[in-house]
């Protein structure tokens, strides 16, 4: 069992105590509900009060979180910007901004680069049985590589995003550390924010399922006599 998008330290601790992997998102790590009722910040699970966010950040810093997740959930302006907050769809953009946000945390000394790689690439590949085809750089792997500039500073601009929705909760946020070149299976697909790949290069990623076998034998109450 994997617990996605945990928002409190209690949830993280409970999941790890039960032997589960648990992931968090940049928005639950970095934002709190003080943003108000702006529809850009409407998301499930919701943003928490700042004390809960700080405790989540502490659990993250202590290494209790096993994964970083983008929770990419784009919606069209018609879906996201309805007049009433209760009619607006839930979800934030995450794919194109998550790396810069977390590299900014690296630049601030709140996260090491090696831990970021482990949380965003190695651990997910292992959990979903894609390792070592994914999640590592070695002979025989897929050469999915992102080259980053840890000193490149900038501002997130939603007009430069490529999702079907460009309504970003991070619009105007300053970052330090950005991807400059992305390779998929050894081929450059994005360079300096510009898409270079041709349609058809992407491939559906298929897991390698485990061999079926009984588990938890002898665990639980004895059957009735």
């Amino acid at each position: 069992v994997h617990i996605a998008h945990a928002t409190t330290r209690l949830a993280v601790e409970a999941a790890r105590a039960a032997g589960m992997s648990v992931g968090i998102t940049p928005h639950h790590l970095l934002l709190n509900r003080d943003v108000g009722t702006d529809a850009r910040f409407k998301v499930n699970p919701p943003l928490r009060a700042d004390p809960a966010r700080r405790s989540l950040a502490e659990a993250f810093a202590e290494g209790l979180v096993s994964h970083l997740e983008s929770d990419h959930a784009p919606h069209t302006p018609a879906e996201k910007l309805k007049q009433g907050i209760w009619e607006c769809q839930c979800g934030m953009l995450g794919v194109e901004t998550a790396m810069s946000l977390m590299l900014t945390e690296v630049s601030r000394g709140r996260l090491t680069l090696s831990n970021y790689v482990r949380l965003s690439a190695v651990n997910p590949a292992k959990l979903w049985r894609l390792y070592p085809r994914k999640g590592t750089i070695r002979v025989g792997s897929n050469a999915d590589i992102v080259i980053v500039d840890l000193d490149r500073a900038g501002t997130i601009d939603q007009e430069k995003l490529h999702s079907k929705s460009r309504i970003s909760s991070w619009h105007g946020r300053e970052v330090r550390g950005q991807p400059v070149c992305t390779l998929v299976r050894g081929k450059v697909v994005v360079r300096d924010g510009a898409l270079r790949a041709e349609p058809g290069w992407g491939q559906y990623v298929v897991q390698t399922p485990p061999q079926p076998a009984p588990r938890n034998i002898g665990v639980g109450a004895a059957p009735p006599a």
Side-chain angles (χ1 to χ4, degrees), residues 82-93:
K82 294 180 183 291
Q83 186 172 3
I85 185 66
W86 300 112
E87 286 73 46
C88 297
Q89 293 292 329
C90 293
M92 296 182 182
L93 305 187

Side-chain angles (χ1 to χ4, degrees), residues 34-96:
D34 291 343
V35 294
T37 57
D38 189 322
R40 294 177 301 156
F41 300 98
K42 185 179 179 183
V43 65
N44 279 331
L47 301 177
R48 305 300 184 187
D50 201 53
R53 184 205 62 80
R54 290 198 302 269
S55 70
L56 181 69
E58 291 170 357
F60 177 71
E62 293 169 17
L64 300 181
V65 173
S66 55
H67 292 68
L68 282 167
E69 304 160 338
S70 71
D71 189 23
H72 184 68
H75 294 285
T76 64
E79 295 170 328
K80 192 66 176 171
L81 300 180
K82 294 180 183 291
Q83 186 172 3
I85 185 66
W86 300 112
E87 286 73 46
C88 297
Q89 293 292 329
C90 293
M92 296 182 182
L93 305 187
V95 166
E96 291 183 82

